[in-house]
Amino acid sequence: MSFRLRIFALVVLVAVSAIVATAWLTLSLTTREVTRSQAAEAQHQDRIVQEIREYGLRHGRWPGVDQVVRGLAESTGLHIQLRTPDGTVLTDSDTLEGNTSGPVRGAALTIDPLPALDPTVRPGEPIPVRVGRPFALPADLFGSGPSPGAGPAERALRQAAQYRAALLAVRCMSDNGTAEPVLQTSRAPYLTRQQIQDSPKCVTFGTDKVNRDKVWLTEMVEMLSPCVPGRNDRERIESCLQQSFNRGLSGFAATPLRLFLGFRNTTSIIDLSRPALIGVAGLIVVALIGTAVIARRVSRPVWLLTEASLRLADGKLDVRVPIRGRGELALLSASFNAMAEAVQSSEERQRRLIADIAHEMRTPLSNLRGYLEGLSDGVVDPSRELFVSLHEETLLQRRILDDLQELALAEAGDLTYTRTSFDLAELASTSGTAHRAVAAEAGVELEVDAPGGTWVRADPDRMRQVIGNLLTNAIRYTDDGGHVTLTVRRDKFEAVLIVRDTGVGIALEDQPRVFDRFWRADPARQRATGGSGLGLTIAHRIVTDHGGRIEVTSTPGSGSTFTVRLPLDPWGGS
Ligand code: ADP
């Protein structure tokens, strides 16, 4: 898999895991919280209603209910909100804790803080409400009268009066510093025996205030009048009594409230944040590991390459980097190895070249030195032949140096070619003619078979140099009476130039080496004939630079054949 694809896959993997994990976390947390909230609501709803109602009932008003709401929210883990019937928020557990108010469920529960009408209460209970005195009640309205045996309407009136009087009494006690401004009991008669005994003045104060409120008593009687047995069935009477009772007390008791429940903000945030933090930590770990893997995968080959480059620059030419996989980094590693290989072989070539040159120059220079020392010591007689020979030796050295320079230029790619379109056959004929005299001198018959029309696009001077080298060699390594043939012909898309001789030939194992520099089959003969050992190397370079090939086939003792193939010029001659 390519490097880019691997990075892409890893990043996608991390991103997908992050999205999946986030979605899973959100879903599971929401589900959990909803379930928990519903369970808590179901479990605690009755208790919350009961406690708040109890508070309202026993205080007769709502100030101070905040503490109850706060305590309930904490113990139940729910968000509690109380609103008045007109929708105004009376208190909110989230706001009480300094948080923004969280959501609540749509359905509200009504908290009615009015005391329930208690049918078990009988006249004559601790608070003697003297109904009818001084306010006279119609006798037929309450049946047999207000005393023992009083009817349900009278008992309801009495209980309402008791509740109102009890609230007044406890506030009086509170003003006197003997009690909290709260009823000790939520059931009629609302005051304990102890309170009645301890604070008779306050009890009387409350009782009197209620008994003297003729307007209220009249209203109560009017409201309770329709709730008479005999006229309605029992259920209707009870409902009628309760409604009248409530209406009668509505001006003195706490107002009914609407209770809303929901998710508790503070606890939930802490609860939510814990698994969310775990999730985030997990994601960070995954991201870190993923990044580390990517970083390692990226940096390791790069690091290896950097180290190898430094070592290469340091002269360690045999340094190579391992190639793993087939991605871009593997390609880069392979390129580096190829470069290192090229640098190393170039270095070796250079070293060999210097060694070859040194070796090549040493023998003739030693000869020259020997003869010059002999001449100066008078050991050797100065003769014309000797000077001619020494002159030839220096000429050979000069030729070697010229060839070397040319080869160096060719190998560096600096040999300039002036390409034109010309007929290779014609060039071959001219070269053949030029070598005819040398061939004749060597007793070798030179034959040229180049019918013409073989157009190539090349540098004619360099091609003449190649043909000249091949012909010189052919004549040089062919004995007296031998035969050299120069042929030029077309072969499909190539121009083929062949130099064939009937000379000494080249041993099979030496044939691949003829194009190596300074290689000679027989150094003694070559030196005698004045060859530099570089001619074929240069010829090979020139031909390959023209997009062609040069090959040799030879049979020792029978002769050699050098074949040059060059691409034909399709527009040549036109
Ligand atoms: P040189 O200047 O010595 O001829 P070349 O590079 O031209 O250098 O040739 C290299 C060697 O190849 C020669 O020394 C010779 O041994 C061998 N060689 C080249 N041409 C022929 C040939 N036609 N027949 C036999 N040997 C040849």
Side-chain angles (χ1 to χ4, degrees):
M1 201 195 291
S2 87
F3 178 62
R4 200 181 302 167
L5 211 64
R6 263 184 288 158
I7 288 189
F8 178 73
L10 273 167
V11 171
V12 165
L13 187 75
V14 171
V16 167
S17 4
I19 291 164
V20 169
T22 311
W24 176 79
L25 262 175
T26 314
L27 197 70
S28 63
L29 287 174
T30 312
T31 314
R32 204 190 77 176
E33 286 311 314
V34 166
T35 318
R36 214 182 65 171
S37 169
Q38 282 171 350
E41 260 184 63
Q43 188 187 346
H44 302 298
Q45 186 174 287
D46 289 348
R47 189 181 133 218
I48 293 167
V49 171
Q50 191 51 42
E51 285 191 22
I52 294 173
R53 183 180 169 276
E54 179 99 358
Y55 181 91
L57 192 151
R58 289 172 60 186
H59 287 73
R61 51 192 176 176
W62 290 118
V65 76
D66 294 4
Q67 294 306 319
V68 180
V69 168
R70 191 198 294 264
L72 282 169
E74 255 169 42
S75 63
T76 57
L78 286 171
H79 171 204
I80 301 169
Q81 192 180 74
L82 291 176
R83 292 189 202 166
T84 57
D86 64 1
T88 314
V89 176
L90 185 72
T91 185
D92 185 303
S93 61
D94 281 354
T95 346
L96 286 174
E97 285 169 17
N99 302 309
T100 45
S101 178
V104 286
R105 288 209 297 139
L109 296 158
T110 302
I111 294 182
D112 187 357
L114 291 167
L117 189 56
D118 190 347
T120 60
V121 177
R122 290 286 174 266
E125 289 289 330
I127 304 176
V129 179
R130 288 173 287 127
V131 178
R133 273 182 296 134
F135 184 70
L137 291 167
D140 61 336
L141 185 64
F142 294 102
S144 56
S147 294
E154 188 179 345
R155 288 207 297 271
L157 176 59
R158 182 182 295 272
Q159 195 181 325
Q162 280 176 338
Y163 180 68
R164 206 186 139 191
L167 285 176
L168 288 165
V170 291
R171 276 167 208 154
C172 161
M173 291 173 209
S174 162
D175 291 344
N176 296 340
T178 50
E180 286 289 307
V182 51
L183 301 178
Q184 291 300 305
T185 166
S186 57
R187 283 174 61 87
Y190 310 108
L191 290 178
T192 58
R193 280 177 195 285
Q194 195 66 44
Q195 281 176 310
I196 294 165
Q197 276 172 18
D198 291 350
S199 310
K201 278 187 182 171
C202 283
V203 174
T204 312
F205 164 76
T207 310
D208 283 354
K209 188 149 187 177
V210 172
N211 275 335
R212 285 194 196 115
D213 191 350
K214 288 178 184 167
V215 177
W216 180 71
L217 284 170
T218 310
E219 272 176 16
M220 283 300 291
V221 169
E222 278 173 9
M223 282 189 290
L224 289 165
S225 298
C227 319
V228 182
R231 286 205 207 159
N232 294 298
D233 58 39
R234 202 179 148 206
E235 269 182 26
R236 278 203 169 173
I237 290 168
E238 277 177 13
S239 146
C240 172
L241 286 170
Q242 185 69 57
Q243 277 178 17
S244 307
F245 180 83
N246 288 358
R247 274 169 61 200
L249 283 178
S250 61
F252 311 102
T255 50
L257 292 180
R258 291 166 75 208
L259 168 71
F260 291 88
L261 295 175
F263 189 67
R264 193 176 170 209
N265 227 2
T266 44
T267 18
S268 56
I269 282 171
I270 294 162
D271 283 358
L272 269 173
S273 59
R274 197 175 301 124
L277 279 174
I278 295 169
V280 167
L283 283 180
I284 289 171
V285 169
V286 170
L288 282 176
I289 293 172
T291 316
V293 169
I294 294 173
R296 194 181 144 73
R297 294 212 160 197
V298 175
S299 65
R300 195 171 148 69
V302 173
W303 183 78
L304 284 174
L305 274 166
T306 311
E307 200 196 31
S309 313
L310 289 172
R311 289 179 63 197
L312 188 72
D314 219 29
K316 305 258 183 314
L317 301 183
D318 57 344
V319 68
R320 299 291 182 272
V321 288
I323 300 168
R324 289 200 191 93
R326 283 179 296 150
E328 291 92 334
L329 284 172
L331 274 175
L332 184 64
S333 303
S335 310
F336 173 85
N337 285 350
M339 182 192 73
E341 192 81 48
V343 170
Q344 191 179 21
S345 60
S346 154
E347 180 81 9
E348 270 167 21
R349 260 204 320 272
Q350 217 169 336
R351 208 177 311 122
R352 254 198 340 261
L353 177 67
I354 292 165
D356 286 349
I357 294 168
H359 175 78
E360 204 60 31
M361 307 297 273
R362 194 174 292 120
T363 316
L365 281 176
S366 300
N367 283 346
L368 272 174
R369 191 179 130 210
Y371 278 115
L372 288 172
E373 280 175 2
L375 281 169
S376 65
D377 292 347
V379 180
V380 179
D381 289 333
S383 66
R384 194 168 176 276
E385 290 76 31
L386 180 64
F387 285 121
V388 167
S389 159
L390 292 178
H391 182 233
E392 275 177 2
E393 192 64 46
T394 54
L395 285 180
L396 176 61
Q397 298 314 307
R398 173 65 203 249
R399 196 176 319 128
I400 289 174
L401 285 176
D402 288 347
D403 285 354
L404 263 176
Q405 191 178 17
E406 199 163 336
L407 182 66
L409 282 175
E411 288 193 341
D414 288 342
L415 208 61
T416 47
Y417 298 107
T418 314
R419 288 179 169 85
T420 53
S421 190
F422 64 89
D423 187 356
L424 186 66
E426 207 179 306
L427 186 80
S429 300
T430 320
S431 298
T433 310
H435 282 79
R436 221 173 280 281
V438 186
E441 200 182 316
V444 175
E445 190 188 338
L446 175 59
E447 188 188 333
V448 179
D449 176 16
T454 315
W455 291 83
V456 291
R457 187 164 180 76
D459 184 329
D461 289 339
R462 294 294 173 195
M463 282 305 142
R464 191 177 293 112
Q465 185 180 347
V466 171
I467 299 169
N469 178 257
L470 294 178
L471 282 177
T472 309
N473 281 347
I475 296 165
R476 186 181 287 163
Y477 301 108
T478 301
D479 290 330
D480 196 357
H483 204 86
V484 172
T485 322
L486 171 61
T487 314
V488 176
R489 59 178 171 81
R490 291 171 68 115
D491 184 11
K492 283 187 184 171
F493 306 110
E494 288 178 327
V496 186
L497 181 142
I498 303 162
V499 178
R500 186 176 288 119
D501 64 62
T502 55
V504 294
I506 305 162
L508 195 64
E509 67 274 15
D510 291 338
Q511 285 171 24
R513 301 175 60 198
V514 290
F515 300 107
D516 291 354
R517 60 173 175 252
F518 295 125
W519 182 85
R520 302 174 196 107
D522 179 3
R525 177 170 183 152
Q526 180 268 338
R527 288 201 71 75
T529 51
S532 69
L534 293 169
L536 281 177
T537 316
I538 295 168
H540 183 267
R541 187 83 214 182
I542 291 170
V543 171
T544 47
D545 282 353
H546 281 82
R549 305 191 305 278
I550 181 166
E551 289 152 4
V552 62
T553 51
S554 182
T555 311
S558 301
S560 311
T561 304
F562 283 84
T563 310
V564 174
R565 292 172 190 276
L566 287 172
L568 277 173
D569 180 8
W571 294 280
S574 57

